[in-house]
Amino acid sequence: MRKILIIFSIIFLHSCSGYQPIFKTQEANFYIAQITNVTQDQISNQIRNSLKPYTKNNNKQPLTLELKSKKNEKILSKDKKGNPVVFELKIETDVKIIFKDKSQKELKFSKKFNYNNQSNKFELKQYKDNIEKNLANEIFESLIFKLRSI
């Protein structure tokens, strides 16, 4: 029984050796020649900074990106006194891809998150900033998946 368990664990560990990271930049079939931030906001800046590893010239297809982000925050529910209880934060990002032959493609990404109000406004602000960073990171990941499929 012990030999079967050892053989099974060796086979299992051997099959796990093919791990490769998803966002590996060496295998990208493109590079970003220029990133233009139209709205100059924090979300677009974070996405732009996340795209920096893809700006290295790898002699593949050059792309030019134009980022335009918009953040919407609205109140979903209020208590009896009229104070907000639940908020919704929605981030929309429009990306215009300009190819080498001057053809263009537009992509739209939208992510939203609901959260509860807190009595401590400082902690609420930090929590909201953390949510924005996470949503921007999700948009970045979606953008990379779309760019790899082009």
Side-chain angles (χ1 to χ4, degrees):
M1 180 69 179
R2 182 175 235 164
K3 289 182 182 181
I4 294 173
L5 187 60
I6 292 172
I7 292 172
F8 181 70
S9 61
I10 290 173
I11 291 172
F12 178 72
L13 291 175
H14 179 58
S15 66
C16 295
S17 63
Y19 169 77
Q20 289 186 346
I22 295 173
F23 299 115
K24 192 173 181 182
T25 59
Q26 288 97 5
E27 294 183 15
N29 57 352
F30 64 91
Y31 76 94
I32 301 172
Q34 182 181 3
I35 304 171
T36 306
N37 191 350
V38 177
T39 54
Q40 296 294 328
D41 62 339
Q42 184 179 6
I43 297 163
S44 296
N45 286 334
Q46 183 180 349
I47 295 171
R48 180 180 180 170
N49 289 337
S50 297
L51 288 170
K52 290 279 184 185
Y54 294 92
T55 59
K56 295 177 184 167
N57 189 344
N58 60 2
N59 296 326
K60 304 266 175 120
Q61 180 181 13
L63 303 175
T64 301
L65 300 181
E66 290 183 9
L67 300 173
K68 188 187 309 181
S69 295
K70 182 172 49 171
K71 175 176 72 170
N72 295 324
E73 186 176 358
K74 67 180 180 179
I75 300 170
L76 292 182
S77 68
K78 295 182 180 184
D79 61 4
K80 292 179 182 179
K81 296 179 183 178
N83 297 326
V85 176
V86 179
F87 295 98
E88 178 183 76
L89 180 65
K90 183 176 184 181
I91 295 178
E92 297 173 341
T93 302
D94 298 332
V95 180
K96 184 188 290 185
I97 305 169
I98 304 170
F99 297 96
K100 184 179 181 179
D101 60 352
K102 303 297 182 197
S103 63
Q104 297 181 1
K105 183 175 184 177
E106 292 198 25
L107 301 174
K108 295 182 187 263
F109 300 98
S110 178
K111 301 288 181 182
K112 63 181 175 178
F113 187 80
N114 297 339
Y115 61 96
N116 295 327
N117 197 3
Q118 297 178 1
S119 59
N120 188 339
K121 298 304 174 191
F122 178 72
E123 288 180 5
L124 179 64
K125 174 75 169 119
Q126 285 184 327
Y127 185 60
K128 193 165 50 170
D129 290 343
N130 192 20
I131 291 169
E132 285 180 20
K133 288 178 185 176
N134 289 340
L135 292 177
N137 191 32
E138 288 180 23
I139 290 173
F140 158 72
E141 290 174 0
S142 299
L143 175 62
I144 291 299
F145 283 134
K146 290 284 188 181
L147 290 176
R148 285 182 178 265
S149 67
I150 291 177

